[in-house]
Amino acid sequence: MADIKAHEFDRFLPKAIDLYRIFLVYGPDRGLISERAAELAAKAGAKPDDPFSFTRMDLSDLQGDPGRLVDEVNALGLFGGAKVIWVKGTGSDKALTDGLQVLLSGAMPENLLIIEGGDLKKTSALRKLCETGKISVAIPCYADDIKALNQLVDQELSAENLKITSDARERLLEVLGGDRVASRNEIRKLALYCRGAGTVTEEHVLDIIGDASAISTDDAVDCVLKGDVAGLHRAVQKITASKTPIFLVLQSCLKQFQLLDLMRTEMEEKRTPIAQVMQTTGRHIHFKRKPLFETALRNWGPDALAREANRLQNAVLQSRQKAVLEDTIAFQTLLTTALQSARSAGR
């Protein structure tokens, strides 16, 4: 079976191009998916602005022309050398999986195929094909854990010759995670603000992200999970009055739904009862919040959880890209998810 563990990618990258020609990069962290796909393309020597060495495709490009994927991957470069074909897909498109079956049953092509997938379940046809193929590999991308986030902080700050105090690091880690691109952007924003200072302090972090300790975001997130729209309104009003960025609520909510998605997947794939999955994957949840998570696991199906996690992740990225609309994007997304929670509970 050709798949690697999420934490093995850095060790795998130097030899990846020599071992495989088809790469499926998938998981809940879309920012990390994009980063790793780009690293694979760069390792192959592809230049995104060079049409002779790089071709980007969407699933819509394969509609009505299922043979195009096979033709692109097997095409000979005009000036020789391997070409990279980068496809953005979700795993639900038949033209993509049909094309993959043809490619995997043939000889190893000279060109490379990189598929930027979504949050694929173990039962996904696309994932199964790439995990079992001889010339293909599946690369999972899960939300960064504390170790990965610390490495990301050190990497970005060292590029600006900056050190960081322990208090500042702890405060910064509170707003990171969920999406690699969003986390990296937050750190780079901080690094730019502190350029030339030598050391990043807690005051610097608070200047950029606001005082996250002024009020807990848990109340708002719990209202979203319960489908308590009125409670969400009150919680957001308190958060706004305390000058705490509502982005923190959005980020926290994303983390909770990604955790629920992971727990629900374990329940579906391993037939694990709720009580057991709460003791394993959910062991770090505060005991006061565990009944809320147990109820959510009963009410939400795996597809619905994946959909909401994707919605929240898109909102996180949009709020970072459109800072002026941050409050509007965050509140509308939280409200939509809370309404979905209410429906899932049969209210």
Side-chain angles (χ1 to χ4, degrees):
M1 182 175 288
D3 61 340
I4 65 171
K5 302 296 183 183
H7 65 275
E8 296 174 340
F9 180 77
D10 290 337
R11 236 180 15 247
F12 166 77
L13 182 60
K15 57 186 179 181
I17 307 304
D18 297 326
L19 296 175
Y20 303 102
R21 310 310 283 173
I22 299 174
F23 302 88
L24 169 64
V25 193
Y26 73 95
D29 191 328
R30 296 179 64 184
L32 186 55
I33 290 172
S34 179
E35 278 200 3
R36 287 184 169 172
E39 288 181 87
L40 288 166
K43 193 67 181 176
K47 299 178 181 179
D49 59 346
D50 180 5
F52 297 108
S53 68
F54 186 88
T55 297
R56 187 182 293 274
M57 300 172 65
D58 290 317
L59 286 179
S60 58
D61 297 323
L62 303 179
Q63 295 292 340
D65 189 7
R68 183 178 174 186
L69 181 68
V70 178
D71 292 340
E72 290 283 357
V73 175
N74 288 324
L76 297 176
L78 185 62
F79 300 105
K83 183 177 181 179
V84 170
I85 292 86
W86 187 334
V87 178
K88 194 168 185 177
T90 64
S92 59
D93 188 88
K94 191 173 185 299
L96 178 59
T97 52
D98 286 350
L100 264 179
Q101 286 179 321
V102 174
L103 291 169
L104 292 172
S105 63
M108 180 176 288
E110 183 177 352
N111 296 331
L112 274 74
L113 173 61
I114 299 174
I115 303 171
E116 187 179 340
D119 188 8
L120 305 178
K121 303 299 181 185
K122 199 171 184 179
T123 54
S124 162
L126 181 58
R127 183 173 162 183
K128 283 182 177 180
L129 281 171
C130 291
E131 286 178 344
T132 56
K134 293 182 180 179
I135 61 172
S136 61
V137 62
I139 303 170
C141 297
Y142 300 115
D144 290 321
D145 57 17
I146 291 297
K147 181 180 179 181
L149 288 174
N150 274 307
Q151 290 175 342
L152 187 62
V153 169
D154 293 336
Q155 177 187 3
E156 291 297 329
L157 294 185
S158 64
E160 294 289 345
N161 296 316
L162 290 169
K163 296 181 180 179
I164 184 169
T165 66
S166 58
D167 289 342
R169 183 185 294 272
E170 183 178 350
R171 182 73 69 177
L172 180 59
L173 291 174
E174 291 177 0
V175 300
L176 302 180
D179 183 276
R180 172 65 68 87
V181 170
S183 295
R184 192 183 293 278
N185 286 343
E186 290 299 307
I187 303 169
R188 286 180 175 175
K189 183 171 65 174
L190 176 64
L192 180 62
Y193 179 74
C194 298
R195 179 176 289 175
T199 301
V200 178
T201 66
E202 186 176 11
E203 287 72 24
H204 289 140
V205 178
L206 293 177
D207 287 343
I208 291 297
I209 67 171
D211 188 355
S213 66
I215 187 169
S216 173
T217 61
D218 286 350
D219 288 345
V221 174
D222 288 352
C223 288
V224 171
L225 289 174
K226 289 185 290 187
D228 183 359
V229 174
L232 176 62
H233 275 280
R234 291 192 295 270
V236 169
Q237 285 176 347
K238 290 180 182 178
I239 288 168
T240 303
S242 72
K243 306 298 183 183
T244 300
I246 194 173
F247 165 76
L248 298 181
V249 184
L250 194 63
Q251 185 89 322
S252 180
C253 198
L254 170 61
K255 290 180 182 179
Q256 303 304 327
F257 268 85
Q258 287 178 331
L259 177 59
L260 283 168
D261 187 28
L262 185 64
M263 295 167 75
R264 186 71 198 195
T265 299
E266 183 178 338
M267 289 170 58
E268 295 289 322
E269 294 180 354
K270 300 181 181 179
R271 303 295 180 186
T272 306
I274 290 179
Q276 185 176 336
V277 81
M278 290 297 299
Q279 293 176 359
T280 54
T281 310
R283 64 186 179 279
H284 298 304
I285 299 172
H286 193 277
F287 73 93
K288 290 184 178 180
R289 304 182 74 209
K290 284 190 175 182
L292 178 60
F293 274 74
E294 291 174 357
T295 300
L297 286 171
R298 292 189 185 95
N299 293 339
W300 287 84
D303 293 339
L305 282 171
R307 182 196 66 227
E308 291 306 313
N310 187 58
R311 188 205 306 277
L312 289 161
Q313 191 166 46
N314 284 334
V316 167
L317 288 175
Q318 289 176 16
S319 68
R320 297 298 84 191
Q321 295 167 351
K322 303 173 183 177
V324 177
L325 300 175
E326 176 182 322
D327 289 354
T328 301
I329 292 171
F331 181 70
Q332 290 296 330
T333 304
L334 292 168
L335 182 59
T336 300
T337 303
L339 290 170
Q340 292 296 328
S341 292
R343 292 191 186 101
S344 69
R347 297 182 182 180

